[in-house]
Amino acid sequence: MKDLWGVLARQRDYRLMLSAGLISLIGDWLLRTGLAFQVYVLTGSTLASGGLLLASFLPGVLLGSLAGVFVDRWDQRTTMIVTNVLNAVVLLPLIAVHDASTIWIVYGVVLAQSCLQQFFTPAEQSLLPLLVNSDQLVTANALNSQIRDLARLIGAALGGVLAAAGGLTLLAVGDAVTFLVAVALVTAMRHRQARPGRVKESAGGAIRRLKQEWTEGLRLCVAGPAMRLFFVFCLVTGVGEGIMSTLFAPFISAEVGGDGRAYGLIVSSQAVGGIVGGLVAAAIGSRWPAAKLWGFGAFAFGLIDTALFLYPLVSDSVIPAYVCMIVVGLPGALTVAGMMTVFQNLTVDGTRGRIYGAVGAAESVAILIGITSAGFLGDAVGIIPILVIQGLGYVVGGLVVLTRRRVLEPRPEPAPPVLV
């Protein structure tokens, strides 16, 4: 608890950023859950509901790496404020959606918000290492991971309630309020990041520089053995995430024998373990090297996932599914905290945004590959074998990280020579 106290009580700006993140993430889950419900109610089409997923993923693939270039040029705090304000504004058209003929507005709003997210997330990840001491990074990243699970629990529940009570209008207003509260919290931060002034240049010169910085981000995300390992791990687990998002509902229905209610409860139960896991990771953050947390967390996460996917072969009870989803939240939190800390230690301010954007874009492509592959292979090979591949991806990834810890851990700088 000493580590938690050191970050939350003594780092005012980080505390404000964490609070802003919690509020806006609650709004994200509120809208995401409510939109999925309302779109199906208005259209009665699962294809229309699937369009929401496509609208939210495309900007990550097409814009992610380029957005990171601009984040490196701009002040991160200002970027977070502007994107939150714009997020609140682009929600307003949802008020005009009343039937299936205007459902295209929903896709436009989701697309616009996903585009803004490509700027917000790299800015947040670039700013975090500047707000805490280097020995507090694991704790700070663990708390960030924990609020995501907490927001998921609160926001998903509120989204269903608001969708039923007031439809899209109430959802839009509720989410807009969370963005504006987040703006107020981030505005109260004292941190300012100086950026070097830009000299005037021709349009052609600006385009050439933009291309140079963009390609540099792509190059840096695989520069050196440590960053290559981080990049490949993100790709492998991205494919696994796509597989999981596609096949988990069929798995619960066809292999476990659960209904829609059981599916919702099983999915949300992971957040419970994630909250506990976030506290554990935050408490031990300064005692364990970040690479060890990442490797051990990924290995344990994969083992538990594999056990979850295989247990229906020997049991028809739904209880092990609940237990596994709760327990897997702990190594999941360790993985995220360790992994993000390693990334932040491997990168420097001024290039971190473009590297994060490039990795994020590649990961989005990997998720789409996982979604597409799972859709075809789930029927041809079977649901359980394909899901087991997802679990084994984490197991192998965790083992590789543990065996390559020396490459991933920052090396202390040599002491300056003593002049006699």
Side-chain angles (χ1 to χ4, degrees), residues 2 84 97 110 151 162 176 312 337 361:
K2 181 181 178 182
N84 272 327
V97 179
V110 172
L162 293 183

Side-chain angles (χ1 to χ4, degrees), residues 42-311:
L42 291 174
T43 65
S45 167
T46 55
L47 181 61
S49 298
L52 289 176
L53 186 64
L54 183 63
S56 64
F57 266 116
L58 273 180
V61 176
L62 303 177
L63 184 62
S65 60
L66 187 61
V69 174
F70 291 100
V71 169
D72 284 335
R73 297 180 178 185
W74 302 333
D75 175 72
Q76 298 106 328
R77 171 183 165 276
T78 303
T79 302
M80 293 170 68
I81 292 172
V82 172
T83 52
N84 272 327
V85 171
L86 292 176
N87 266 312
V89 172
V90 300
L91 285 167
L92 296 178
L94 288 179
I95 298 173
V97 179
H98 300 293
D99 53 46
S101 66
T102 53
I103 204 68
W104 60 271
I105 296 176
V106 175
Y107 297 132
V109 169
V110 172
L111 191 67
Q113 286 208 312
S114 185
C115 287
L116 291 169
Q117 193 66 28
Q118 306 313 309
F119 294 89
F120 179 87
T121 304
E124 182 184 43
Q125 291 299 330
S126 298
L127 180 59
L128 189 148
L130 306 178
L131 302 182
V132 298
N133 300 329
S134 58
D135 60 344
Q136 297 174 323
L137 262 181
V138 173
T139 301
N141 282 309
L143 288 172
N144 263 18
S145 173
Q146 186 190 45
I147 67 164
R148 294 179 191 282
D149 288 309
L150 185 60
R152 179 179 178 177
L153 280 178
I154 299 172
L158 283 176
V161 172
L162 293 183
L168 289 176
T169 298
L170 194 54
L171 285 172
V173 171
D175 195 18
V177 168
T178 65
F179 282 121
L180 294 178
V181 172
V183 166
L185 291 169
V186 176
T187 302
M189 292 168 57
R190 297 171 183 151
H191 177 84
R192 302 291 187 276
Q193 183 66 17
R195 291 295 187 206
R198 296 287 183 181
V199 297
K200 289 186 177 181
E201 55 187 341
S202 65
I207 292 173
R208 284 193 296 272
R209 182 165 55 83
L210 178 62
K211 181 181 178 181
Q212 180 184 1
E213 292 176 359
W214 176 63
T215 53
E216 183 188 22
L218 298 176
R219 180 184 62 81
L220 288 174
C221 72
V222 291
M227 277 306 305
R228 281 197 294 271
L229 176 54
F230 179 87
F231 182 74
V232 172
F233 184 92
C234 288
L235 291 184
V236 172
T237 55
V239 171
E241 184 179 338
I243 290 172
M244 185 76 167
S245 64
T246 304
L247 295 182
F248 194 63
F251 169 77
I252 295 299
S253 176
E255 308 294 345
V256 177
D259 56 12
R261 180 184 176 191
Y263 170 72
L265 290 173
I266 290 170
V267 171
S268 63
S269 64
Q270 184 176 352
V272 177
I275 293 171
V276 176
L279 283 174
V280 173
I284 67 173
S286 63
R287 299 175 182 86
W288 281 35
K292 184 178 180 180
L293 275 179
W294 173 12
F296 174 78
F299 178 73
F301 186 94
L303 285 181
I304 296 169
D305 260 10
T306 303
L308 166 64
F309 303 140
L310 290 176
Y311 96 84

Side-chain angles (χ1 to χ4, degrees), residues 29 36 84 86 93 119 122 142 247 250 254 256 266 289 315 331 377 383-384 394 396 414 418:
W29 275 102
N84 272 327
L86 292 176
F119 294 89
L247 295 182
V256 177
I266 290 170
S315 172
L377 296 177
I383 294 172
I384 290 179
Y394 274 95
V396 174
V418 178

Side-chain angles (χ1 to χ4, degrees), residues 319-393:
I319 293 176
Y322 287 104
V323 174
C324 286
M325 287 297 282
I326 292 173
V327 174
V328 83
L330 172 57
L334 297 179
T335 303
V336 173
M339 186 177 173
M340 290 312 304
T341 303
V342 168
F343 169 78
Q344 290 157 355
N345 285 330
L346 290 174
T347 55
V348 296
D349 186 42
T351 62
R352 191 174 287 127
R354 73 193 70 171
I355 299 173
Y356 188 88
V359 173
E363 190 174 16
S364 295
V365 173
I367 291 172
L368 289 177
I369 291 173
I371 291 172
T372 305
S373 301
F376 288 106
L377 296 177
D379 290 333
V381 180
I383 294 172
I384 290 179
I386 302 303
L387 283 173
V388 166
I389 292 174
Q390 185 263 1
L392 293 179

